[in-house]
Structure formats: C-alpha cells, structure tokens
Amino acid sequence: MQVLDKSFKLYLDAETIQKRIAALADQINADYQGKQPLFIGILNGSFMFTADLYKKITVASTITFIKLVSYKGTSSTGTVITSIGLEENISGRDVIIVEDIVDTGKTLSEFLPSLQQQQPASIRICTLLHKPEALQYPLTVDYIGFNIPTKFVVGYGLDYDGFGRNSEVISCLEE
Ligand code: IMP
Ligand code: MG
C-alpha cells in the first residue's frame, strides 16, 4: 500500500484485528460487571478502534472523545497539545481511555494527571497497539490488542501525515 511518499506492507489483516477486539471487549465486559464505565476515545487515531470496541461492550456505559496531538510525519514531535478537551465530569467514574497506539507513552502520561485531578474512581488504559520497546514514560497499559515492534504503522485509524486512516487493515512501513 502506498501512502504519500512511502510504501507499507500488510501487518495485521481485518479478521485478526476484529477477533482481537472481540476478545478485549469480553475481558472489559467481565472486569466491569456491575459498574458503569466512561470510555474516553483519543482522537483522531482511535476513532475506528473505539467504534468497533464499543459496539461489543455490553455493560451499561457512556462514551466521549478528546483530541490530543503529538505526531508529525513518522516521529513524535515531543509536544502534546489538547485541541479538544474533556467536557464530562469524571469524578467518581470508572474511566477507560481508548487509544490507537501507545508508542513512547508521552501523550498519555502528560494527559493522565489532569484526569486524576478530577478524582475518578479508577482509570485504565486500553490500546489497540503497543510498542513496548519504545516506551519512555512510566505508564501502565491495562488492555493491549497487539504488542508490536518499534516500527511505523498506518491504517485502521492510524495515519501518516493525516493520510492512510481509511484502511481496514494495519500496514507497516517498508524499510
Ligand atoms: P506517544 O505519545 O509517543 O505514546 O504516541 C502516541 C500517539 O502517536 C498515538 O496516539 C498515535 O496517534 C501516534 N503514533 C505513534 N506511533 C504511531 C505509528 O506507528 N503510526 C501512526 N501514529 C503513531
Ligand atoms: Mg492517537
């Protein structure tokens, strides 16, 4: 697959992604029985994953989205900007943050303190993809779809300079 000036090869097919999401949803449904979690999807990247995961959530719950930005091209700019903030009051809520990918961990570790200030009952992180070898910030990721090597991926919501999100598969940069 070609995205702008780079070529990518298939890494995770649609069936593999959907099966794993169903398993994650089962786990979350079991863990949150009797609770009413609030899902917070992190835009833009997590919109597809959040939608597919949330369709499979059976516990009573609510959902909202915020927008955090830290990437330009194929590497992190190191600055996290909140461009759409949180409107909900999360005090006393069981919060589940839904991310497309945890890379260095900077985005979430900078964002978490502002959530913790509001004293939610709990905060857990659910990410479709995780690059464990790239992690540079202390962050506990509770639900992980796939651990992947430190390589740049696109598709299924993930972009390269804004492009490539509209693919039902995940592809990896060819080197
Ligand atoms: P972190 O702050 O370094 O953990 O970066 C997290 C954010 O960077 C994710 O929410 C993605 O939007 C973006 N990101 C990290 N790795 C990739 C990648 O391989 N492809 C596309 N976006 C990525
Ligand atoms: Mg993201």
Side-chain angles (χ1 to χ4, degrees), residues 42 68-71 76 79-81 99 101 104-112 137 139:
I42 312 292
L68 304 175
V69 187
S70 78
Y71 247 66
S76 180
T79 323
V80 179
I81 306 158
E99 252 291 29
I101 186 163
T104 64
K106 185 180 173 74
T107 308
L108 288 185
S109 67
E110 289 197 350
F111 170 65
L112 279 179
Y137 294 79
L139 195 68

Side-chain angles (χ1 to χ4, degrees), residues 28-48:
I28 293 171
N29 287 329
D31 292 351
Y32 286 82
Q33 246 180 53
K35 295 187 172 162
Q36 296 185 340
L38 165 65
F39 290 81
I40 303 180
I42 312 292
L43 296 172
N44 291 328
S46 82
F47 75 98
M48 270 195 207

